[in-house]
């Protein structure tokens, strides 16, 4: 059977065919769809984890317990999971285990462009790198055989173009793999120093055997086009080289990229006048090949950052520029990213942005847009969970310096609170900080596309699940000053912020209103019966053209420059009423649709 699949869908299919029975992840672009598709296979128990570290630990446990497991995350998620990853490599597996890292050259939706091939070398785990959907499925199945044969978890590197591009995939039936019996073995599963030293030796021996595998696996193969120009490429970079050079050069395609097949590389390089290394991001293969005494050309000509697109390759190596249609800046208006019409975060950022006595530390999520105009509220952000702990550090610095001109506000969403905000909040209370934390509970994991989380009442497989009470969690972290509010009521938001800033000790505000794009559950309908069932309109006779309503940042608002009047796009408006509260002339009314 052949199917048209994205790389992420192919990963899910490969997991099913490989007999995987447990899969877990934390959502993040470009990896999110992997688990969403795995969950459609009922033979695999699929779970969203609160964060990537927890996900990998659960997958490792399933492997030790005797069933094949899959764990997926975006590239920065591996940073969170590295603590268990490094030790999991020492322990090895019982049943096969694969960690998929979805790297993002070009940073389309991420805060950095790290190359997780470095983690394979650092954590001492072998690595596959597919270049299309067929390889993604086939290599994933092979990864489980490698994991069990060489007794180690496998790191599986996808990149954005491979994750989201579609190609035809030949599919097979599911392989019913026998579960492995679990046997107590403290020398294998308890990394006390006395045992870990032996684990280290075993790992090194396994890598020697993997070098032989790398030189013989069919996933590392050459294409001889009788040219004295050679290209060694991995991942989608190999496809870009094929698109530019066609059959005018010879290729060595690297699919199993750590450890590298150095014997095969040396044989391929022999007799080549020019040898190019095609890899996205860091010059990892290039350095190792040069270290082996093989002359090659890499990042001195090819881009060291961003996606290695065919156009960039043509420009770098052939000095050819592809003619494209450039947009006319006079006709195309700039459209900066904005919070959606009806987004419950808008009222909070409107009020925060009005104050000049705050240092606002944000997490990563939709609310990152709080730094943009018209709010201009956010001062800094690092990663999920850091809003609270880094904000705590800033506040401590202010306190130590005796600087009382600003107070720190940490802001994050419900999903990121569960991800790693809980431990950060414990740090705040335990170390007697006095920051104000605002948890934007929009009842879903919004930015990655509406995945369930421990606070929504449902699991990844669509079954009802215990709903973790954020208020109770906050109290359990030691916070005594806590209120929950409707973020669409600006007066309440203003009063809550004022209360939090003047509270002695740490304070938490929870704003509770669903994401405007969320599919409502039965509980949502019961708790928010009138949400998004209203619409706003402007009385042009009352409008004085002051534009204050535009400071809400709502994309449903428009301004008629000719008549100097505000207007509302009713097909976009959902009647949150924030703009009506801002208008000084009561020119905006809210009514039920």
């Amino acid at each position: 059977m052949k199917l048209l699949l994205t790389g992420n869908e192919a990963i899910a299919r490969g997991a099913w065919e490989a007999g995987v029975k447990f899969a877990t992840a934390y959502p993040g672009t470009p990896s999110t769809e992997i688990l969403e598709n795995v969950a459609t296979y009922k033979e695999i128990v699929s779970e969203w984890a609160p964060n990537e570290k927890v996900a990998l630990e659960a997958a490792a446990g399933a492997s030790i317990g005797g069933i094949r497991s899959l764990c997926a995350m975006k590239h920065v998620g591996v940073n969170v999971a590295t603590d268990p990853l490094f030790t999991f490599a020492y322990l090895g597996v019982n049943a096969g285990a694969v960690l998929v890292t979805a790297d993002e050259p070009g940073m389309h939706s991420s805060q950095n462009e790290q190359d997780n091939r470095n983690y394979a070398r650092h954590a001492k785990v072998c690595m596959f790198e597919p270049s299309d959907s067929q390889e993604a499925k086939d290599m994933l199945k092979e990864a489980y055989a490698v994991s069990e044969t060489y007794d180690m978890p496998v790191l599986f590197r996808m990149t954005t173009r491979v994750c989201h591009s579609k190609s035809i995939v030949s599919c097979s039936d599911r392989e019913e793999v026998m579960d492995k019996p679990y046997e107590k073995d403290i020398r294998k599963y308890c990394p006390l120093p006395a045992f870990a030293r032996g684990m280290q030796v075993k790992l090194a021996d396994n890598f020697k055997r993997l070098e032989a595998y790398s030189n013989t696996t069919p996933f590392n193969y050459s294409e001889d086009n009788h040219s004295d120009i050679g290209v060694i490429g991995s991942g989608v970079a190999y496809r870009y080289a094929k698109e530019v050079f066609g059959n005018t050069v010879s290729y060595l395609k690297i699919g199993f990229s750590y450890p590298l097949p150095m014997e095969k590389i040396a044989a391929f390089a022999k007799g080549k006048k020019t040898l190019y290394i095609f890899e996205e991001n860091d010059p990892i293969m290039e350095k190792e090949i040069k270290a082996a005494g093989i002359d090659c050309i890499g990042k001195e000509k090819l881009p060291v950052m961003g996606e290695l697109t065919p156009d960039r390759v043509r420009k770098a190596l052939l000095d050819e520029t592809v003619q494209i249609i450039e947009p006319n800046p006079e006709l195309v208006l700039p459209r900066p990213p904005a919070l959606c019409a009806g987004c419950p975060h808008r009222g909070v950022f409107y009020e925060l942005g009005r104050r000049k006595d705050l240092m606002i530390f944000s997490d990563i999520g939709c609310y990152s847009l709080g730094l943009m105009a018209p709010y201009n509220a956010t001062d800094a952000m690092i990663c999920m969970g850091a809003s609270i702990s880094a904000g705590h550090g800033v506040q401590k610095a202010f306190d130590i310096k005796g600087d009382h001109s600003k107070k720190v506000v940490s802001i994050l969403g419900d999903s990121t609170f569960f991800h790693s905000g809980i431990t950060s909040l414990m740090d705040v209370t335990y170390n007697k900080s006095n920051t104000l934390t605002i948890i934007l509970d929009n009842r879903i994991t919004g930015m990655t596309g509406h995945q369930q989380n421990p606070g929504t009442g449902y699991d990844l497989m669509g079954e009802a699940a215990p709903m973790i009470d954020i208020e109770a969690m906050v109290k359990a972290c030691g916070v005594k000053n806590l209120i929950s509010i409707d973020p669409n009521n600006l007066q309440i938001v203003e009063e809550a912020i004022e209360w939090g800033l003047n509270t002695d000790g740490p304070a938490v505000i929870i704003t509770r209103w669903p994401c405007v794009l969320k599919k409502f559950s039965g509980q949502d309908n019961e708790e928010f019966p009138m949400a998004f069932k209203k619409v706003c309109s402007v009385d042009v006779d009352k409008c004085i053209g002051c534009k204050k309503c535009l400071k809400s940042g709502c994309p449903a608002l428009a301004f008629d420059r000719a008549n100097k009047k505000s207007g509302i796009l009713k097909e976009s408006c959902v009647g949150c009423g924030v703009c009506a509260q801002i208008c000084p002339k009561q020119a905006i009314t809210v009514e039920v649709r």
Side-chain angles (χ1 to χ4, degrees):
M1 178 176 64
K2 293 186 177 181
L3 297 173
L4 181 63
L5 301 176
T6 65
N8 284 347
E9 292 168 340
I11 290 287
R13 179 74 189 192
W16 179 79
E17 291 184 11
V20 169
K21 292 185 176 177
F22 178 78
T24 178
Y26 183 82
T29 303
S31 71
T32 305
E33 300 85 3
I34 294 174
L35 255 289
E36 290 179 332
N37 283 281
V38 170
T40 64
Y41 297 104
K42 301 307 178 188
E43 295 85 351
I44 306 175
V45 174
S46 304
E47 299 179 352
W48 290 128
N51 65 35
E52 297 85 355
K53 177 176 181 288
V54 171
L56 183 57
E57 289 162 347
S63 166
I64 292 170
I67 60 173
R68 287 186 168 183
S69 63
L70 175 77
C71 185
M73 57 194 66
K74 66 181 298 178
H75 61 300
V76 292
V78 179
N79 300 335
V80 183
T82 49
D83 196 6
L85 175 62
F86 278 55
T87 303
F88 191 17
Y90 273 44
L91 269 57
V93 303
N94 184 15
V98 174
L99 168 57
V100 179
T101 169
D103 291 7
E104 196 180 26
M107 295 185 288
H108 301 287
S109 63
S110 301
Q111 62 268 48
N112 70 31
E113 195 186 49
Q114 69 189 50
D115 185 336
N116 280 355
R117 291 178 300 165
N118 289 298
Y119 270 129
R121 287 145 176 87
H122 197 185
K124 298 181 175 62
V125 290
C126 59
M127 170 171 272
F128 282 91
E129 283 189 73
S131 64
D132 61 19
S133 298
Q134 182 71 62
E135 285 189 349
K137 185 192 77 86
D138 293 343
M139 285 186 186
L140 190 75
K141 295 174 69 175
E142 175 70 4
Y144 284 96
V146 167
S147 175
E148 292 171 356
T149 301
Y150 298 92
D151 193 15
M152 70 173 65
V154 174
L155 192 55
F156 198 92
R157 189 198 189 208
M158 300 281 282
T159 55
T160 307
R161 296 300 157 188
V162 184
C163 287
H164 293 161
S165 297
K166 285 195 171 187
S167 59
I168 299 293
V169 178
S170 295
C171 299
S172 305
D173 294 333
R174 177 176 169 86
E175 180 184 356
E176 291 302 336
V177 179
M178 294 291 291
D179 299 340
K180 301 288 181 66
Y182 167 73
E183 296 179 358
K184 183 174 181 177
D185 186 348
I186 61 172
R187 287 185 173 275
K188 177 172 174 57
Y189 297 125
C190 297
L192 303 176
F195 299 154
R197 295 187 188 99
M199 295 173 184
Q200 191 178 30
V201 173
K202 179 202 70 175
L203 184 57
D205 289 342
N206 285 338
F207 258 95
K208 289 181 180 176
R209 295 196 294 139
L210 274 168
E211 290 175 4
Y213 170 83
S214 186
N215 281 299
T216 56
T217 175
F219 290 113
N220 293 333
Y221 61 90
S222 60
E223 298 172 27
D224 185 4
N225 291 317
H226 308 291
S227 172
D228 57 7
I229 300 175
V231 170
I232 299 176
S234 67
V236 75
Y238 158 78
R239 299 290 171 188
Y240 296 154
K242 292 275 286 186
E243 186 170 334
V244 172
F245 295 120
N247 294 329
T248 63
V249 304
S250 296
Y251 300 92
L252 177 57
K253 165 71 165 60
I254 305 295
F256 184 78
S257 62
Y258 187 64
L260 281 174
M262 294 308 301
E263 292 179 10
K264 189 172 282 187
I265 289 171
F268 177 77
K270 194 173 183 180
K272 296 289 186 297
K273 290 184 178 178
T274 305
L275 182 63
Y276 293 116
I277 309 300
F278 272 58
E279 54 190 331
E280 280 191 312
N281 296 147
D282 296 344
I284 294 174
M285 293 197 303
E286 177 187 341
K287 285 184 176 178
E288 294 183 6
I289 292 170
K290 285 180 175 176
I294 300 171
D295 189 31
C296 60
I297 299 171
K299 297 301 181 183
E300 64 265 46
K301 288 196 173 181
L302 292 164
V304 73
M305 60 185 73
E307 288 190 289
L308 191 64
T309 64
D311 290 349
R312 298 185 79 192
V313 171
R314 289 190 180 93
K315 179 64 178 176
L317 299 184
L318 306 177
D319 198 26
E320 295 177 356
T321 301
V322 177
Q323 296 297 318
I324 59 175
I325 300 174
E326 296 288 348
N328 185 340
E330 295 181 359
L331 299 177
V332 180
L333 295 175
R335 293 186 61 192
L339 297 172
C340 302
C343 175
H345 305 338
R346 176 167 293 105
V348 175
F349 281 113
Y350 172 77
E351 290 296 340
L352 289 174
R354 298 171 67 197
R355 302 190 64 127
K356 306 304 178 188
D357 57 345
L358 305 178
M359 189 281 173
I360 299 174
F361 220 119
S362 172
D363 252 45
I364 301 292
C366 299
Y367 37 84
S368 301
L369 297 174
L371 70 86
M372 306 291 286
Y375 315 112
N376 302 313
T378 302
D379 288 74
M381 61 185 76
I382 299 175
C383 61
M384 288 190 281
S387 60
I388 300 178
S389 39
H392 159 69
V394 174
Q395 186 65 61
K396 282 291 184 181
F398 288 171
D399 294 344
I400 291 168
K401 294 190 298 181
D403 181 357
H404 305 298
S405 62
K406 289 181 182 292
K407 187 166 181 178
V408 174
V409 175
S410 300
I411 194 159
L412 75 170
D414 49 339
S415 186
T416 47
F417 176 71
F418 289 121
H419 179 278
S420 48
I422 294 172
T423 47
S424 297
L425 189 59
M426 284 191 283
D427 187 46
V428 165
T429 54
Y430 179 69
N431 289 298
K432 308 179 187 66
S433 194
N434 60 347
T435 54
L436 168 61
T437 298
I438 301 178
I439 302 173
L440 306 172
D441 180 10
N442 65 358
R443 315 302 303 135
I444 201 72
T445 307
M447 191 170 191
T448 50
H450 288 190
Q451 289 72 40
Q452 305 295 342
N453 66 51
T456 63
Y458 292 89
D459 64 20
L460 171 58
M461 302 181 78
E463 298 177 356
M467 185 183 298
I468 307 301
D469 186 333
I470 294 179
E471 284 194 18
M473 289 298 304
V474 169
K475 291 178 182 176
C477 291
V479 174
K480 296 179 180 178
N481 307 302
L482 164 69
I483 56 173
S484 294
I485 63 169
D486 173 358
N488 294 316
N489 188 320
L490 295 184
Q491 182 176 348
I492 289 178
V493 172
E494 182 181 11
E495 291 173 354
I497 293 172
E498 193 64 26
W499 164 82
L501 296 174
N502 290 287
T503 294
D504 185 20
V508 173
I509 299 170
I510 300 173
T511 69
R512 190 174 171 96
W513 193 262
C515 173
V516 66
L517 302 178
K518 184 187 179 187
K519 180 181 179 182
F520 272 29
S521 66
Q523 178 168 341
D524 291 329
N525 287 320
E526 184 177 336
E527 184 175 355
F528 310 103
M530 293 306 295
F532 315 129
K533 293 180 179 177
K534 300 178 181 177
V535 65
C536 297
S537 59
V538 177
D539 184 338
V540 293
D541 293 332
K542 292 184 178 179
C543 179
I544 58 174
C546 67
K547 299 182 182 180
K548 289 186 176 179
C549 58
L550 301 183
K551 295 186 181 299
S552 69
C554 181
L557 282 161
F559 188 78
D560 186 337
R561 291 180 178 176
N563 297 320
K564 296 182 179 179
K565 302 286 185 180
S566 290
I568 290 177
L569 306 173
K570 293 195 173 184
E571 61 273 20
S572 300
C573 177
V574 294
C576 69
V578 169
C579 60
Q581 297 169 69
I582 297 173
C583 177
K585 295 296 182 182
Q586 291 78 48
I588 301 176
T589 56
V590 186
E591 58 187 15
V592 178
R593 284 183 183 273

